[in-house]
Amino acid sequence: MAHIISVTNQKGGVGKTTTAINVASSLAAMHKRVLLVDLDPQGNATSGSGISDSLKTCLHLFEESASLDEVIQKTVHGYDVIPGNYSLTQCDVKLMNHPRKAYFLKNSLLPVHRNYDYILLDCPPSLNNLTLNAQACAHQLIVPVQCEFFALEGLTKLLGTIDQVRKQLNPSLQVLGLIRTMFDGRSKLTQHVSKELETHFSDRVFKTLIPRNVKLAEAPSHGKPSMYHDKRSQGALAYLALAAEIDRKINMDSYEHLLE
Ligand SMILES: Nc1ncnc2c1ncn2[C@@H]1O[C@H](COP(=O)(O)OP(=O)(O)OP(=O)(O)O)[C@@H](O)[C@H]1O
Ligand SMILES: [Mg+2]
């Protein structure tokens, strides 16, 4: 059964999509079966995975005008994608009138749970119906955080939202971990914020640091995850390490759950 992980942070530009694409390709390189769902009208996870023209997107899934088979696209990078594009802006409005609007994605993906080890959801930088569908569907959240001054303030808001989601939509939703992205160890502020995160969230902060790395920023313009753009780059190696840490943590959590 698939572990469904939502990559989320309502703050924009913190590395959600970069994380979603590179964790998807790294897990696939570890022989895991991976589906990446692009829930962002910006469609960056779609284009960054090398899919240029997608006739069928998440919108068709939400409209029930296409089957899962028609919507899921294979990439040349070892994982599958349900594309997103600008048409997804209509989803938010369409979902508003749906009686079980928050559970739409969860129900749509049920038939493919057994086909994947991981389903990654790339969320938009806002709290709309698409994000709520992701949080209602996910088992776990991973939260990319840029170690800068406003990061902690944004996190407090995000944790408040997660509490509400647990109460109203998905009681078993867990925060798998926070990921420090675009990390620049030379900056005193970065070091300070990073320490604060470790103090407040201890083992919920991933040990792997994602460095600021130009190869990570370049790769999407070639429609490739970083490991296929420059496999020796610091960015590609960091995401491989992160994917291994995510896989370990998920298996550890499942094991501890069994012992409870
Ligand atoms: N570790 C990194 N090193 C250098 N550049 C990065 C890194 N991570 C992300 N970027 C760049 O920073 C920008 C924002 O990253 P990304 O699109 O992944 O963030 P996001 O949280 O998905 O943004 P949005 O909220 O708009 O969806 C992009 O141009 C991306 O290429
Ligand atoms: Mg994004």
Side-chain angles (χ1 to χ4, degrees):
M1 287 290 270
H3 295 288
I4 305 180
I5 302 178
S6 168
V7 185
T8 197
N9 191 336
Q10 53 222 44
K11 194 162 164 41
V14 292
K16 293 181 289 293
T17 303
T18 305
T19 297
I21 293 172
N22 288 290
V23 167
S25 64
S26 299
L27 286 169
M30 293 160 57
H31 303 291
K32 305 290 175 190
R33 299 165 305 159
V34 183
L35 173 66
L36 171 59
V37 184
D38 189 352
L39 290 167
D40 189 345
Q42 298 180 96
N44 295 340
T46 304
S47 56
S49 296
I51 298 171
S52 45
D53 300 319
S54 33
L55 298 174
K56 305 281 183 198
T57 68
C58 283
L59 176 68
H60 297 87
L61 207 58
F62 282 97
E63 282 181 343
E64 295 179 304
S65 60
S67 67
L68 267 170
D69 279 352
E70 290 174 288
V71 175
I72 293 176
Q73 295 208 19
K74 294 217 169 302
T75 69
V76 292
H77 315 302
Y79 59 92
D80 295 349
V81 171
I82 299 186
N85 63 21
Y86 188 69
S87 69
L88 274 177
T89 45
Q90 299 168 37
C91 260
D92 200 29
V93 182
K94 286 203 163 113
L95 281 169
M96 250 176 323
N97 303 320
H98 199 276
R100 287 182 48 83
K101 60 183 178 189
Y103 297 104
F104 211 85
L105 184 65
K106 182 177 175 156
N107 293 335
S108 325
L109 292 178
L110 277 176
V112 291
H113 276 199
R114 288 189 185 282
N115 302 354
Y116 295 101
D117 299 307
Y118 286 100
I119 299 179
L120 299 174
L121 312 174
D122 184 32
C123 290
S126 52
L127 188 61
N128 58 18
N129 279 320
L130 289 160
T131 312
L132 285 179
N133 264 266
Q135 318 311 47
C137 172
H139 301 125
Q140 276 108 0
L141 301 176
I142 55 180
V143 184
V145 184
Q146 222 180 313
C147 293
E148 55 174 35
F149 181 64
F150 291 115
L152 294 170
E153 191 188 336
L155 266 184
T156 313
K157 285 194 192 128
L158 180 67
L159 294 177
T161 309
I162 295 170
D163 266 350
Q164 286 298 318
V165 169
R166 279 203 193 103
K167 281 191 193 121
Q168 292 174 19
L169 299 175
N170 184 357
S172 55
L173 182 65
Q174 295 172 333
V175 178
L176 187 67
L178 312 180
I179 304 163
R180 290 164 285 181
T181 58
M182 301 182 225
F183 193 86
D184 176 4
R186 293 165 305 180
S187 148
K188 287 250 178 322
L189 178 62
T190 298
Q191 288 174 14
H192 172 73
V193 175
S194 173
K195 285 236 156 49
E196 290 278 299
L197 289 175
E198 284 171 350
T199 308
H200 284 81
F201 301 102
S202 58
D203 65 340
R204 290 289 123 184
V205 181
F206 284 103
K207 302 269 181 295
T208 309
L209 294 166
I210 305 299
R212 184 172 284 284
N213 178 252
V214 69
K215 299 289 179 186
L216 284 171
E218 282 170 10
S221 64
H222 299 275
K224 289 177 181 175
S226 201
M227 61 190 300
Y228 297 107
H229 174 55
D230 182 346
K231 66 180 175 192
R232 291 196 180 80
S233 64
Q234 291 301 314
L237 294 174
Y239 272 112
L240 267 172
L242 178 67
E245 192 180 353
I246 288 173
D247 191 50
R248 254 196 330 270
K249 210 165 183 177
I250 293 255
N251 289 323
M252 189 90 83
D253 281 3
S254 316
Y255 179 65
E256 280 174 6
H257 194 64
L258 282 177
L259 294 180
E260 273 168 15

